[in-house]
């Protein structure tokens, strides 16, 4: 690794901007909306069949996900928001484990140090008939290939783990937790990454590699190799002159 390469997370403002470009160039939110419209109402309805109130714990963000879901007008929601480590530490200190009907973890397990321990703890908080919804990138996505092949060549810090639904399902299997997994296709238009000096492309490079100013700090041979791979079918599809990176998401519903 070149000494000039450093983690994108070392520059908060650039990370935020690269994330914004990712959202602008991907179908991430449309993919989540599709799941909310097609799958989530049925999942929530089954939980709420015998309950007038559903207690929901939102971990790490996505607090409005369930509230915006259609056909839930007759259900009262009780919200509780904080990070997973904050909540877990507070509960352990109080020695009080409140039960929840629905817990959702939206794109946040990358930022948890002990994922199996976190899964085990929050699964223990589920009431009878309750469920956990976990959203993260699919094991069939381009991210999985990118991280496995190039992770050791890119700067890493303790803030983010390269974990996909394939990794998560192995953890759930070891914990003996039953689950269902729904995969939905999402793409990210990375065409600008192949235009030298393109600002949008440079920021997307940063997001893809989690590297600050990747385009100018990465060894040329490393950048050339990744650039070549990103155009291969296992990473992306080419459509109407665009290169669309496979950003597919998995929605894993774990049972109590």
């Amino acid at each position: 690794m070149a000494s000039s390469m450093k983690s994108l997370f070392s520059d908060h403002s650039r990370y935020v901007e690269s994330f914004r470009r990712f959202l602008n160039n991907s179908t991430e939110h449309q993919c989540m909306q599709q799941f909310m419209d097609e799958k989530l109402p049925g999942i929530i309805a089954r939980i709420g069949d015998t309950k007038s109130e559903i207690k929901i714990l939102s971990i790490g963000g996505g607090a409005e996900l369930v509230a915006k879901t259609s056909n839930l007008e007759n259900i009262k929601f009780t919200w509780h928001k904080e990070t997973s480590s904050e909540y877990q530490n507070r509960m352990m200190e109080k020695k009080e484990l409140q039960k929840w009907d629905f817990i959702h973890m939206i794109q946040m397990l990358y930022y948890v140090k002990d994922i199996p321990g976190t899964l085990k703890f929050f699964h223990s908080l589920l009431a009878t008939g309750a469920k956990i919804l976990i959203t993260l990138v699919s094991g069939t996505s381009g991210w999985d290939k990118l991280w496995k092949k190039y992770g050791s060549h890119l700067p890493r810090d303790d803030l983010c783990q390269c974990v996909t639904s394939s990794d998560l399902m192995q953890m759930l299997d070891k914990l003996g937790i039953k689950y269902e997994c729904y995969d939905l296709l999402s793409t990210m238009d990375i065409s600008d990454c192949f235009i030298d000096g393109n600002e949008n492309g440079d920021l997307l490079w940063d997001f893809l590699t989690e590297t600050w100013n990747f385009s100018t700090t990465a060894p040329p041979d490393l950048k050339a190799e990744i650039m070549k791979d990103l155009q291969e079918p296992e990473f992306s599809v080419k459509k109407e002159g665009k290169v669309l990176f496979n950003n597919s998401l998995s929605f894993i519903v774990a049972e109590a």
Side-chain angles (χ1 to χ4, degrees):
M1 183 192 302
S3 59
S4 59
M5 292 175 72
K6 64 180 182 179
S7 170
L8 176 59
F9 297 102
S10 64
D11 184 338
H12 180 70
S13 62
R14 189 167 177 90
Y15 166 73
V16 169
E17 181 59 24
S18 71
F19 181 67
R20 189 178 72 82
R21 300 299 178 104
F22 158 70
L23 292 178
N24 289 345
N25 288 272
S26 75
T27 60
E28 174 104 347
H29 281 168
Q30 295 93 315
C31 181
M32 289 189 178
Q33 188 66 49
Q34 181 184 349
F35 179 82
M36 287 163 56
D37 292 342
E38 296 178 3
K39 300 291 184 183
L40 191 58
I43 293 168
I44 297 292
R46 288 194 294 275
I47 297 172
D49 278 345
T50 59
K51 299 176 182 179
S52 59
E53 178 182 10
I54 293 180
K55 293 181 179 179
I56 295 175
L57 179 62
S58 169
I59 305 167
E64 298 309 309
L65 174 71
V66 179
K68 291 180 180 177
T69 302
S70 58
N71 305 319
L72 302 179
E73 296 84 1
N74 298 324
I75 297 175
K76 177 185 175 184
F77 294 96
T78 300
W79 296 97
H80 194 106
K81 280 187 64 181
E82 57 194 319
T83 66
S84 62
S85 57
E86 288 170 350
Y87 182 80
Q88 188 169 348
N89 290 337
R90 188 165 61 82
M91 289 300 102
M92 299 305 279
E93 286 173 7
K94 292 174 66 175
K95 296 181 180 178
E96 170 195 335
L97 299 180
Q98 180 179 346
K99 296 292 184 178
W100 300 89
D101 300 306
F102 188 67
I103 298 174
H104 61 93
M105 303 172 165
I106 310 300
Q107 294 285 48
M108 52 72 62
L109 282 177
Y110 318 109
Y111 310 104
V112 171
K113 289 185 177 180
D114 179 8
I115 297 176
T118 298
L119 292 172
K120 186 176 181 179
F121 172 76
F122 284 103
H123 186 261
S124 73
L125 304 185
L126 291 178
T128 302
K131 297 183 187 297
I132 297 177
L133 170 64
I134 303 166
T135 305
L136 75 171
V137 296
S138 170
T140 64
S141 70
W143 293 109
D144 183 73
K145 286 82 175 171
L146 186 66
W147 289 338
K148 284 179 179 174
K149 185 169 183 178
Y150 294 105
S152 62
H153 300 282
L154 298 169
R156 286 280 169 249
D157 55 32
D158 292 335
L159 287 176
C160 188
Q161 291 196 62
C162 300
V163 59
T164 72
S165 61
S166 297
D167 304 311
L168 190 71
M169 287 189 285
Q170 289 181 9
M171 296 176 197
L172 291 170
D173 287 339
K174 286 183 179 179
L175 290 169
I177 297 174
K178 293 182 179 180
Y179 60 87
E180 290 182 299
C181 182
Y182 307 88
D183 266 26
L184 292 179
L185 178 64
S186 171
T187 60
M188 172 170 52
D189 185 353
I190 59 171
S191 307
D192 287 346
C193 292
F194 305 98
I195 303 172
D196 280 344
N198 183 282
E199 182 193 19
N200 189 55
D202 287 349
L203 285 160
L204 290 174
W205 268 118
D206 286 10
F207 189 81
L208 280 164
T209 62
E210 294 179 3
T211 302
W212 177 82
N213 277 330
F214 177 84
S215 285
T216 57
T217 64
D221 57 341
L222 176 63
K223 182 180 178 182
E225 188 178 353
I226 298 178
M227 185 179 288
K228 180 177 180 296
D229 271 348
L230 287 177
Q231 298 178 77
E232 296 298 324
E234 60 264 39
F235 289 87
S236 307
V237 296
K238 293 183 179 180
K239 187 176 181 180
E240 298 175 354
K242 296 180 178 179
V243 181
L244 303 177
F245 181 75
N246 187 331
N247 181 58
S248 290
L249 300 179
S250 290
F251 300 83
I252 297 174
V253 181
E255 302 175 9

